[in-house]
Amino acid sequence: MTTLLVSQPNFADHVTPQGHPERADRIRAVEDALKSPRFDKLLRRNAPSGDLMLAELVHDSHYLAHLRSGRPAEGIGQLDADTFISANSLAAAATGLGGALAALDAVLLGEADNAFCAIRPPGHHAEIATPMGFCLINTVAITAREAQRKYGAERVAIVDFDVHHGNGTQDIFKADPTVFYASSHQMPLYPGTGKASETGVGNIANTPLAPNTDGESMREAYEARIIPALLDFAPDLILISAGFDAHERDPLAQLNWQSGDYGWLTGKLMDAAARCCGNRIVSLLEGGYDLKGLAGGASHHVAMLMDGATGRLADQE
């Protein structure tokens, strides 16, 4: 497998208050973990700036104006109780979007088999009209729409293994049968959405997990519900909202996944991609707020994207 890693130093320009869990150190932790010789064969690329007007593919026409009105000339502004915006946050968000779209181009044009985008701020909580949950724009949703608009993808799947339900992604696609959204997440937990009964127009597969659920229970849930639904949908492309906050170390949730669980899950999604869509996977970083847990989970995720054998070997370390 040829795996593309997309990142960019200017993600540190999105500044959050001291002590906020969504901080620039997250990207540094991932990048440092991926400097190991195990990852020497990664194809690496800096994320270019993307066109924020593409946000209107999934957000309403007033959305960007709302973000700009909340952006301060200096310092940090606050959009809701835990979502902040600084002077250069929209530039960082544009770079995150540009990175995701560059990864999409590389995968759909055959330059890489799959890609991981180490980007911030995260996006899956951003709804059609409302930024929330640390998220400014819904990058994975825009990427799905761009795959359809630019490349003619008829069916796009988004699999979200962040510990928090991606209410924004569900809000955007819940009435659209051309996009499949599957999420495993702790419940009860912020944002309070994601019941199994929330099925959209048959295109939503939510799998809530009780607090203290471990990797074995997660594997059972994916094999019983999400993977069969994904295969039934038969997508042309799989996008991943890759949050690593279900890790047992994470301070914002109470699931007990280990780093190796992310390798196993990535392998299952790769198996589905091999059967459905010519191995095409683009993965975007969402949450993960303990730096060691984030680095461990992301390492296993990327190792499996690169080479299933490498990922299984890493799982045993």
Side-chain angles (χ1 to χ4, degrees), residues 31 59 89 92-93 101 107 119 159 180 191 218 228 267 276 281 304 308 315:
E31 291 180 339
H59 296 293
S89 290
L101 297 181
V107 170
I119 58 176
V159 178
F180 171 79
M218 174 274 289
C276 294
I281 292 176
M304 185 63 84
D315 196 24

Side-chain angles (χ1 to χ4, degrees), residues 193-210:
T193 54
K195 296 178 181 177
S197 59
E198 298 169 18
T199 57
V201 289
N203 64 322
I204 306 293
N206 285 314
T207 304
L209 302 172

Side-chain angles (χ1 to χ4, degrees), residues 52-53 56 63-72 79 85 90:
L52 277 181
M53 292 303 296
E56 294 190 1
Y63 192 86
L64 290 177
H66 174 56
L67 293 180
R68 291 183 179 118
S69 69
R71 178 183 55 179
L79 299 174
I85 186 168
L90 291 183

Side-chain angles (χ1 to χ4, degrees), residues 54 57-58 104 140-151 156 172-173 176 178-179 239:
L54 290 173
L57 292 172
V58 301
L104 178 72
V140 74
I142 300 168
T143 304
R145 280 288 185 244
E146 190 68 348
Q148 294 179 320
R149 186 187 72 87
K150 185 175 181 179
Y151 290 102
V156 178
I172 290 164
F173 295 121
D176 183 352
T178 70
V179 178
L239 302 177

Side-chain angles (χ1 to χ4, degrees), residues 26 119 122-125 135 140 160 162 241-243 284-289:
R26 299 178 62 239
I119 58 176
H124 72 151
H125 291 309
C135 301
V140 74
D160 186 338
D162 192 281
S241 274
L284 283 61
L285 178 64
E286 298 280 4
Y289 305 105

